[in-house]
């Protein structure tokens, strides 16, 4: 069974600075997808960025980028130029390519990010 | 384009009762997944429906059930509520063909069992 681990329960960053959130996962599969979701106090999970395992190039979305290390099973999220609105809980998630796992995301325990003005 | 709508936002139920939660996916999305979020267990997958059929199921007791209608709206039912069922219940929808693009979540239903 696949597992996702986020080892940092809480992180803090100064506004305009850069922060990296860690995520590791365990799987025996070669094809899968990885996601970072953000959950602000409004509770709605918002997709931040996604990565296909077959792509070696790291995904980037504006101020958000990932460092995907497939061999190490590591998927970290870097937030550049942090803004107050980035404060939220961040979840790393794994989705298997297997048809038997359709619709299922496996989440890490989350990292609460605090942004200090 | 309307997002994923979950109703109600909040619910308070008594132990032993049953509850039904509703989720309306984004127009055109035929896959709906349900998750339970608690501080202790985190986010756990309940089940996924596609075209009115349950395609996948998580490790939850049979008290948790769901269904999907022809318009892709989905309902989740929990019978014989227990205190431990208190949680935020989230649903997510996706376009099946582009499922790997990610899932769009609703704002959830906060269920409190007393």
């Amino acid at each position: 069974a696949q597992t996702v681990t986020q080892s940092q329960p809480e992180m803090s960053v100064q506004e305009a600075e850069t922060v990296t959130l860690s995520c590791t996962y365990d799987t025996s599969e070669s094809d899968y997808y990885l996601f970072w979701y953000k959950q602000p106090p409004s509770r709605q999970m918002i997709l931040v960025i996604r990565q296909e395992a077959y792509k070696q190039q790291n995904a980037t979305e504006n101020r958000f980028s990932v460092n995907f290390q497939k061999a190490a099973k590591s998927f970290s999220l870097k937030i550049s130029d942090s803004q107050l609105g980035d404060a939220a809980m961040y979840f790393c998630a794994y989705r298997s390519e297997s048809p038997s796992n359709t619709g299922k995301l496996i989440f890490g325990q989350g990292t609460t990010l605090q942004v200090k003005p | 384009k309307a997002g994923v709508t979950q109703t109600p936002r909040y619910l308070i139920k008594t132990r032993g009762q049953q509850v039904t939660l509703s989720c309306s996916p984004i127009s055109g999305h035929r896959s709906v997944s349900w998750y339970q979020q608690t501080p202790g267990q985190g986010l756990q997958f309940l089940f996924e429906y596609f075209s009115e059929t349950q395609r996948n199921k998580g490790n939850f007791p049979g008290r948790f059930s769901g269904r999907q209608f022809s318009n892709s709206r989905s309902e989740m039912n929990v019978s014989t509520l227990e205190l431990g069922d208190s949680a935020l219940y989230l649903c997510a929808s996706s376009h099946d063909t582009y499922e790997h693009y990610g899932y769009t979540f609703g704002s959830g239903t906060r269920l409190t069992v007393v």
Side-chain angles (χ1 to χ4, degrees), chain B residues 66-81:
Chain B
R67 59 177 175 169
Q68 186 179 36
F69 302 94
S70 59
N71 61 357
S72 294
R73 188 177 72 85
S74 178
E75 288 182 347
M76 191 192 99
N77 184 274
V78 187
S79 63
T80 318
L81 284 165

Side-chain angles (χ1 to χ4, degrees), chain A residues 88-101:
Chain A
M89 181 164 275
Y90 286 80
F91 291 94
C92 177
Y94 172 102
R95 181 192 171 271
S96 167
E97 181 69 10
S98 168
S100 65
N101 283 319

Side-chain angles (χ1 to χ4, degrees), chain A residues 38-56:
Chain A
K38 166 186 176 181
Q39 187 178 39
S42 66
R43 308 180 330 198
Q44 184 174 15
M45 300 278 279
I46 302 165
L47 179 63
V48 175
I49 199 166
R50 66 180 178 88
Q51 175 81 42
E52 293 92 336
Y54 64 85
K55 288 187 177 180
Q56 292 189 349

Side-chain angles (χ1 to χ4, degrees), chain B residues 14-91:
Chain B
T14 303
R15 205 169 27 172
Q17 288 185 315
Q18 75 166 18
V19 67
T20 300
L21 313 181
S22 178
C23 173
S24 293
I26 288 175
S27 178
H29 285 192
R30 295 189 295 168
S31 169
V32 175
S33 299
W34 288 89
Y35 292 84
Q36 180 195 66
Q37 185 177 20
T38 61
Q41 298 298 317
L43 282 147
Q44 293 185 290
F45 172 75
L46 281 155
F47 30 64
E48 187 245 4
Y49 284 86
F50 176 79
S51 290
E52 303 178 63
T53 300
Q54 186 182 89
R55 289 199 304 189
N56 199 3
K57 189 177 187 302
N59 296 322
F60 279 81
R63 298 185 298 107
F64 292 82
S65 63
R67 59 177 175 169
Q68 186 179 36
F69 302 94
S70 59
N71 61 357
S72 294
R73 188 177 72 85
S74 178
E75 288 182 347
M76 191 192 99
N77 184 274
V78 187
S79 63
T80 318
L81 284 165
E82 301 177 359
L83 296 178
D85 297 333
S86 294
L88 178 66
Y89 289 89
L90 294 164
C91 81

